[in-house]
Amino acid sequence: MAKIENYLNLSNFFSVNFLQFMSFPYLCNMNFTHTILHWFAENGRNLPWRETTDPYAIWLSEVILQQTRVAQGQAYWERFIARWPHVSALAHASEDEVLREWQGLGYYSRARNLHTAAKQIVERGSFPKTFNEIKMLKGVGDYTAAAIASISFNEPIAVVDGNVYRVLSRYFGIGTPIDSTTGKKEFKTMAQELIDKRQPATFNQAIMDFGAIQCTPSAPRCDSCPLLETCVAFRTHKTELLPVKSKKIKLSERHFTYIYTKNGDEIAIRRRGKRDIWQGLWEFPTTKDITLPTEAKLLKSKVKHVLTHQIIFADFYLWNTEIRPENLPGDFIWIKENQLDGYALPKLIENLLKSLSQ
């Protein structure tokens, strides 16, 4: 805790006299950690993966909840646990099975990494038990490794995610961009100093819940916040300005024209390749594969689908053909139409398919 005063020298950024900070109750009794833990005891979320310390269950929840709301992710976690109750079961599943179960969550590299890491764990004989060992798993970074290490093995490693960035930047009034190298190091150091080393799992869950429930991105519940009196952002009217990000995501536009190509009771699909979105998922022919037939029926036009770095607009055609097109690329396969549910599809195509029954 001794270094925390380094983060409170904010007079240049907020034009507030540093002596004012020295009078804050926080600086007198260092009560941030105690307050967060007390708040969590009364307001923490009841989540099924918090009823266990099984590292597989914890790991699965953390991977699913990356870029996913808890309300949506919980149902996926429950299905995964029901179908593959332990890491060995997941490791022995096929990639198609895992991707199909993941369908609708997006960011499919998470599912592929999860599957690969499960195989790594089985090969080594047991789940790794330390932060550094857990980080060696495919797709596991500092945040996920810290969550597993602290919750499952009581290692005092602080988690730093979007919620933690927001809480710390607002409470301490830190203007360092959270997406900068300096910012990441600064916040990681601070979180590590604040963690309760006697109960690291509880503290990590507490500060994440505090950011998700109390100190939300927009319309934070400042009037009922137990840290209100000592929060720098509130006192200086900077709540909506923090945390700071230096980089803005540039979105590119792409256009797809899909042709649902049907021959009798069969349809043509192919698996998408590497180095592009939706790797390993299945799709229908597009106008890059075959020329749009004049008899094809337009079902949907300019359907918008937003990804992290891309905005996709898609048209969707139905083509009933009595003869299979000879010029369809060789990576397409023909399957029974009623078997399509067994193939993992991008969310966009799932949405387009709804127009077939309209």
Side-chain angles (χ1 to χ4, degrees):
M1 307 290 278
K3 297 181 182 178
I4 287 184
E5 59 267 22
N6 295 335
Y7 300 105
L8 299 174
N9 188 7
L10 306 168
S11 55
N12 291 333
F13 187 74
F14 291 114
S15 299
V16 177
N17 192 294
F18 182 68
L19 292 177
Q20 288 179 297
F21 292 107
M22 297 299 292
S23 68
F24 282 6
Y26 172 77
L27 294 178
C28 296
N29 58 19
M30 300 293 186
N31 73 339
F32 177 88
T33 299
H34 171 78
T35 302
I36 288 290
L37 290 171
H38 181 75
W39 176 92
F40 181 67
E42 296 183 349
N43 302 281
R45 293 174 291 188
N46 293 318
L47 301 170
W49 47 86
R50 288 184 175 170
E51 298 174 2
T52 179
T53 57
D54 176 13
Y56 169 64
I58 303 303
W59 169 53
L60 183 59
S61 73
E62 294 299 339
V63 175
I64 288 175
L65 293 180
Q66 293 169 13
Q67 310 291 336
T68 303
R69 293 177 293 104
V70 170
Q72 179 188 15
Q74 181 172 335
Y76 281 84
W77 182 87
E78 290 171 347
R79 288 201 295 271
F80 264 79
I81 286 292
R83 183 168 183 180
W84 301 298
H86 47 79
V87 70
S88 178
L90 178 61
H92 288 93
S94 69
E95 182 176 292
D96 274 338
E97 289 176 314
V98 175
L99 290 175
R100 183 66 184 86
E101 203 66 56
W102 193 271
Q103 189 169 313
L105 273 179
Y107 301 93
Y108 287 88
S109 61
R110 292 182 293 166
R112 289 190 294 272
N113 290 340
L114 183 76
H115 191 216
T116 300
K119 294 178 180 179
Q120 288 179 300
I121 295 168
V122 170
E123 287 176 2
R124 77 187 300 275
S126 63
F127 206 104
K129 293 180 173 58
T130 67
F131 172 78
N132 289 329
E133 290 177 326
I134 295 169
K135 270 188 64 177
M136 296 176 68
L137 296 176
K138 179 71 172 178
V140 174
D142 285 359
Y143 165 76
T144 301
I148 299 169
S150 63
I151 297 170
S152 296
F153 305 110
N154 208 40
E155 187 174 355
I157 301 292
V159 298
V160 183
D161 70 345
N163 289 315
V164 177
Y165 279 129
R166 186 166 57 256
V167 172
L168 296 184
S169 65
R170 286 175 176 173
Y171 183 74
F172 293 103
I174 305 173
T176 311
I178 62 175
D179 53 354
S180 66
T181 301
T182 300
K184 291 176 182 178
K185 182 178 179 180
E186 188 173 356
F187 283 99
K188 183 177 181 180
T189 299
M190 170 172 276
Q192 191 60 38
E193 290 179 350
L194 290 167
I195 193 171
D196 187 329
K197 293 180 174 55
R198 296 166 301 178
Q199 44 184 338
T202 304
F203 176 82
N204 280 338
Q205 293 170 336
I207 195 169
M208 287 189 290
D209 272 15
F210 191 83
I213 299 172
Q214 191 78 40
C215 194
T216 52
S218 59
R221 301 174 181 178
C222 295
D223 54 352
S224 63
C225 178
L227 295 171
L228 180 65
E229 293 183 357
T230 49
C231 177
V232 173
F234 181 79
R235 289 170 63 95
T236 56
H237 309 290
K238 302 291 184 179
T239 304
E240 300 300 328
L241 301 179
L242 294 172
V244 174
K245 287 186 178 180
S246 60
K247 303 172 186 175
K248 293 185 177 180
I249 297 175
K250 294 182 180 179
L251 297 178
S252 60
E253 287 190 7
R254 297 178 70 179
H255 298 260
F256 291 89
T257 298
Y258 284 109
I259 307 169
Y260 188 85
T261 305
K262 185 176 180 181
N263 173 237
D265 62 351
E266 294 186 327
I267 57 174
I269 62 172
R270 73 155 164 215
R271 189 195 295 272
R272 288 184 61 85
K274 298 180 179 179
R275 297 186 178 89
D276 200 358
I277 58 173
W278 305 325
Q279 176 185 328
L281 303 186
W282 296 81
E283 68 177 353
F284 306 121
T286 71
T287 49
K288 290 184 178 181
D289 304 309
I290 54 175
T291 302
L292 180 65
T294 56
E295 63 270 27
K297 177 183 177 182
L298 178 63
L299 300 180
K300 284 285 185 179
S301 177
K302 296 180 180 179
V303 175
K304 184 177 180 180
H305 187 70
V306 180
L307 301 176
T308 305
H309 298 281
Q310 301 180 28
I311 299 177
I312 296 174
F313 293 93
D315 296 330
F316 189 48
Y317 285 83
L318 169 62
W319 180 32
N320 278 298
T321 175
E322 295 181 359
I323 302 174
R324 292 184 180 181
E326 296 180 355
N327 57 344
L328 200 62
D331 55 346
F332 278 91
I333 63 172
W334 291 86
I335 65 167
K336 297 292 185 182
E337 187 176 27
N338 60 11
Q339 295 176 343
L340 185 58
D341 284 345
Y343 294 81
L345 307 171
K347 184 66 175 178
L348 171 60
I349 290 183
E350 271 197 317
N351 292 336
L352 294 174
L353 283 171
K354 295 175 184 177
S355 62
L356 288 172
S357 58
Q358 294 176 354

